[in-house]
Amino acid sequence: MSTTLEPLEPLDSMEPTLSVRQVLMLERVLAGEPEVVAGAGQLDRAVRWVHVAEAADVGVMLSGGEMVLTTGVLLAGDDDKQAEYIQSLHRAEAAAVVLGLGRAFPAPPDAMRRAAERCGLPMVVLHRPFPFAELTEEVQARLVRRKFAAVSMSEAVRTALTGLITAGAPLQHLLDEIAHHSGCPVVVTNLAHRVLATAGERSAVDDVLRDWERIARQAGGSEGDGWIRAELGGRGERWGQIMLCGYRGDTATGRLLADRAAESLVLHRMLGGTSAHTWEEQSAQSLLTDLVSGVVPARQLLPRARAAGLPVNRRTFVPLVVRDGDPAELDRVLRLLGLPGIVAELADGATAVLLSLARDQDATVLTANFAARLAGTVVAAADPRTAWDDVPAGMREARHVADAVASGALDLPAVVRLKDVHLRGLIRLLRDDPHVQSFAERELDGLLCAAGDDLLAVLRTYLATGRNKSRTAQLHHVSRPALYRRLEAIQGRLGVDLDDFEQAASVHIALLAHDAQQG
């Protein structure tokens, strides 16, 4: 059974090997009118070399991957010898056999064709006389050029990645460079196949992460369909892997690229003093930062959360923000309590924690248990969310509560919620409103200068203590008469009567707004 030849890709692609199909599509070969008479389903086999041989026992001379060219002069008239010839090529793992018709065989010999079909060995006949020397010369030259191009590409990648490492570039820049050269999504995981970092076109990466549970289950299997892995580790210790997801080039080139990438990532870790755990923190930080900002829709972040190991199906999510918390300590407490979640440090000393609890677990009790392990630390919490799409709003609510707590010393519970921050929380929420800013400046105009700093501090304490003069004098280490003089100065500068509740409340709100604006 013959087959029509159709090229799969341009012949000038710089893969280190040629396939049988590509060799048959060369112009010189087409002039010989090639016909595939057996093994048509194996035409994508890689051709490592081209070998001209008439010996009946040519198989012992091969090492695998050769395309053997023959006229079959030593095989004519002996069906057994013809079948054994094909079988010997199959045992030697030859890529294909090409038989020139005319000298020994006027037509494709049935014995060879049947044996090749049984073995799955591509067998091609040439209907027109063809100088084998021209084919071997052209194919060998193309193979050498392609192998040189692959080595050059490998060195170019190594040079680019080494340059980034010596310049102190972060991990993400290295992965972006690898994705640029590979033209496919790149994923770095730990040994548990949890995703630590990704690179590549965002939509393509999301497609990979969306199906990551299945991919992770198959991660230990053989490579195929462009899924190429390289181990990360050194000194006898493995700590992860890098995967090229859907690499479209030659597998050998993909392996070379993955190996270069793995070498660079290990070097980056060694020189930067980082660890796989640090990469996990960076992954969590990127995810939680995107959740807090709301720039990326929550639905688009779901694959990343799932691939990072966070349970997301039928869960209750509890967004938390801890002021001045050590991310490593918070993560240790989560593990100690057996609470699934991710931890990441945000800006301004805040650390975000996202708990993922089973629906039948008591979120309030478990959050309180978590906070109890953090002695002297206030945990800001949003109300639990049962829908993933509501998590970003919850993270922003927890961040808002944490900001309100940080703006003043309040007698608050270990787990602080929105209802606990009252007016201070509202002011923090509105602090960037121009009308609020204008109001604060207008109300406090007489004290908003260097000379008014001490009086502003006294005013802040006086209002925070509920206008308790004795307590204010004690906290500022002054006598009551001295405090009275300062309060009179404050009222004179502001033009208000602090004994009047409405005027005192107005000044208090303005002071809260001023402090919120100052961070």
Side-chain angles (χ1 to χ4, degrees):
M1 177 179 176
S2 62
T3 186
T4 303
L5 297 173
E6 296 181 1
L8 288 183
E9 56 188 275
L11 290 175
D12 59 351
S13 63
M14 286 294 106
E15 298 174 3
T17 61
L18 286 168
S19 68
V20 174
R21 189 187 306 274
Q22 287 175 314
V23 172
L24 298 182
M25 290 306 302
L26 294 174
E27 186 175 347
R28 290 185 179 182
V29 180
L30 290 175
E33 296 184 7
E35 178 189 2
V36 180
V37 296
Q42 302 295 323
L43 296 184
D44 293 321
R45 283 184 175 183
V47 176
R48 187 182 60 82
W49 209 242
V50 176
H51 191 68
V52 180
E54 298 293 353
D57 59 348
V58 65
V60 300
M61 308 175 191
L62 306 180
S63 57
E66 295 90 350
M67 174 179 277
V68 177
L69 310 181
T70 184
T71 61
V73 292
L74 301 181
L75 304 174
D78 191 330
D79 288 357
D80 292 340
K81 205 180 261 191
Q82 293 169 21
E84 174 56 31
Y85 180 82
I86 294 296
Q87 291 167 7
S88 69
L89 295 182
H90 171 65
R91 289 193 295 270
E93 298 182 350
V97 59
V98 177
L99 176 66
L101 300 180
R103 186 174 178 185
F105 296 100
D110 286 340
M112 292 181 69
R113 183 184 57 77
R114 288 195 300 269
E117 195 65 56
R118 285 195 301 270
C119 296
L121 176 71
M123 178 177 172
V124 181
V125 296
L126 300 175
H127 289 278
R128 284 181 174 273
F130 182 82
F132 286 165
E134 292 184 9
L135 175 59
T136 58
E137 178 183 0
E138 180 167 352
V139 173
Q140 317 302 38
R142 285 176 179 266
L143 289 174
V144 169
R145 286 201 303 271
R146 288 168 181 243
K147 289 177 180 178
F148 178 76
V151 172
S152 298
M153 180 276 295
S154 173
E155 289 307 308
V157 172
R158 189 204 298 270
T159 299
L161 295 178
T162 302
L164 289 173
I165 292 171
T166 54
L171 170 66
Q172 190 61 52
H173 287 186
L174 269 70
L175 296 180
D176 289 341
E177 185 72 16
I178 296 166
H180 170 71
H181 284 280
S182 67
C184 68
V186 175
V187 176
V188 176
T189 73
N190 62 13
L191 293 180
H193 305 302
R194 290 188 176 181
V195 174
L196 306 181
T198 62
E201 184 182 345
R202 190 71 259 168
S203 60
V205 171
D206 286 344
D207 286 342
V208 170
L209 296 184
R210 196 170 291 113
D211 199 26
W212 186 252
E213 291 182 5
R214 180 187 62 81
I215 294 170
R217 286 196 298 271
Q218 299 175 351
S222 59
E223 295 175 349
D225 297 327
W227 298 86
I228 300 174
R229 296 178 297 278
E231 299 294 335
L232 299 175
R235 300 176 181 174
E237 177 191 11
R238 288 175 56 247
W239 44 269
Q241 68 177 2
I242 181 170
M243 181 181 291
L244 307 185
C245 305
Y247 180 70
R248 296 183 179 180
D250 178 79
T251 301
T253 303
R255 288 199 190 100
L256 197 60
L257 180 58
D259 288 341
R260 291 291 173 267
E263 292 171 4
S264 298
L265 295 188
V266 172
L267 181 62
H268 180 272
R269 176 186 173 187
M270 292 173 59
L271 295 182
T274 59
S275 65
H277 182 69
T278 302
W279 286 2
E280 290 179 357
E281 291 175 352
Q282 292 175 358
S283 175
Q285 183 179 41
S286 173
L287 174 61
L288 289 182
T289 299
D290 285 345
L291 278 170
V292 171
S293 69
V295 174
V296 182
R299 184 57 50 182
Q300 293 183 20
L301 297 173
L302 187 59
R304 288 170 56 187
R306 182 183 290 111
L310 186 73
V312 295
N313 294 331
R314 296 186 58 78
R315 307 292 288 187
T316 296
F317 302 101
V318 183
L320 308 173
V321 172
V322 181
R323 274 287 172 185
D324 302 319
D326 177 12
E329 174 63 16
L330 297 181
D331 189 62
R332 187 191 69 80
V333 171
L334 285 183
R335 295 175 188 272
L336 182 66
L337 297 175
L339 297 177
I342 51 177
V343 179
E345 186 174 6
L346 303 177
D348 303 326
T351 301
V353 180
L354 180 60
L355 301 181
S356 175
L357 308 177
R359 292 283 176 87
D360 59 353
Q361 291 180 295
D362 191 322
T364 302
V365 171
L366 292 177
T367 303
N369 291 343
F370 174 72
R373 296 274 182 169
L374 308 174
T377 303
V378 176
V379 177
D383 291 333
R385 264 65 175 174
T386 56
W388 174 258
D389 287 345
D390 295 335
V391 170
M395 293 302 307
R396 290 191 291 273
E397 179 183 317
R399 183 65 184 271
H400 163 63
V401 173
D403 287 345
V405 172
S407 67
L410 301 174
D411 184 15
L412 293 169
V415 180
V416 187
R417 304 185 187 277
L418 193 60
K419 64 182 180 62
D420 298 315
V421 295
H422 305 295
L423 178 61
R424 189 181 301 273
L426 176 63
I427 295 300
R428 291 289 298 187
L429 192 62
L430 300 176
R431 64 181 175 178
D432 294 326
D433 189 300
H435 296 90
V436 174
Q437 294 172 355
S438 176
F439 168 77
E441 291 177 5
R442 184 172 63 251
E443 290 289 299
L444 302 174
D445 182 58
L447 298 180
L448 297 181
C449 60
D453 284 349
D454 182 57
L455 295 179
L456 198 64
V458 171
L459 175 62
R460 183 180 292 109
T461 304
Y462 180 62
L463 295 173
T465 59
R467 295 184 293 174
N468 186 319
K469 294 183 176 65
S470 297
R471 181 59 176 157
T472 302
Q474 181 184 12
L475 291 174
H476 283 271
H477 307 289
V478 297
S479 64
R480 287 177 65 93
L483 176 65
Y484 295 156
R485 288 194 295 273
R486 295 185 185 185
L487 291 176
E488 289 175 0
I490 290 171
Q491 294 181 100
R493 288 197 180 197
L494 298 181
V496 299
D497 179 5
L498 293 178
D499 289 330
D500 181 89
F501 176 79
E502 184 175 340
Q503 294 183 51
S506 181
V507 172
H508 195 184
I509 292 172
L511 185 57
L512 290 175
H514 169 75
D515 290 345
Q517 291 158 15
Q518 297 303 309

